[in-house]
Amino acid sequence: MARRRQIYEGKAKILYEGPEPGTLIQYFKDDATAFNAQKRGTISGKGVLNNRISEHIFTSLATIGVPTHFIRRLNMREQLIRQCEIVPIEVVIRNVAAGSLSKRLGIEEGTQLPRTIIEYYYKDDALGDPMIADEHIACFGWASQDEMNDIADMAIRVNDFMCGMFAAIGIRLVDFKLEFGRVWDGDYSRIILADEISPDGCRLWDMKSNEKLDKDRFRQDLGGEAEAYQEVARRLGLLREDDEFAVLDLDSHRKKRGK
Ligand code: UDP
């Protein structure tokens, strides 16, 4: 088979040219980074789990009418997606204080917020993804006002849906990051949900124990990150004893670690 053309390599994913014009293949790596890539490592099996978790969430969102770039999963680490023009804004939705919000404003981690907060960050690694306001987005033309209205509406719908989905499996959705893209139809464009939704970009806490089931395990050197991602997939009903994920063999890994 001819070697596929690589379009882009990010910190956790690689994008390849897709089989049809207007499509791409999104490959999920095991690489993990934190603190603007100052900390690097790998989480064994993460790519396989994130591919599956993100597929599940994106297909569920499509059933409630949220347009996404997801077309179908191709194999353990790859999914076929619609090519889009990424809006250079990271959208963070917060339900509970944690991470940079706690640090910046001195609000104790775990404080339930009286209302959901949406924040915007400018996607620029060299600048360390600075927080921005609507004013900056309008001033520098990163997205139009109509696009920002669509993005905020979709972010709230995604949050409502995901809060319920995770609550049903005993997980608190503390905060998460979304990215959006633009697809063109002649002279008109519309906004769709892009990138991925996985424990890499969400804070997920067990409702009973408050145990962290997300990338904070890696950021904070808590250990057990692969097991945490697997637990999220398991609770979502995405793991079975006999399926392809058995290949991850995380249980024997866990036993070896004496847990
Ligand atoms: N997040 C992300 N990518 C980023 C920054 C943040 O996926 O580049 C996610 C992060 O996993 C968390 C949420 O967005 O679920 C809020 O992150 P925060 O602003 O608290 O930043 P952090 O503490 O991760 O630096």
Side-chain angles (χ1 to χ4, degrees), residues 90 92 94 99-100 121 129 175 177 200-203 219:
E90 295 193 345
V92 169
R94 300 180 184 273
S100 69
Y121 294 83
D129 295 347
D175 57 31
K177 188 254 306 183
D200 266 7
C202 300
R203 284 198 171 91
R219 291 191 190 96

Side-chain angles (χ1 to χ4, degrees), residues 95 158-168 171 173 176 207:
N95 301 301
V158 171
N159 183 50
D160 287 347
F161 179 84
M162 287 201 354
C163 278
M165 183 187 77
F166 281 117
I171 291 175
L173 179 61
F176 62 103
M207 275 182 170

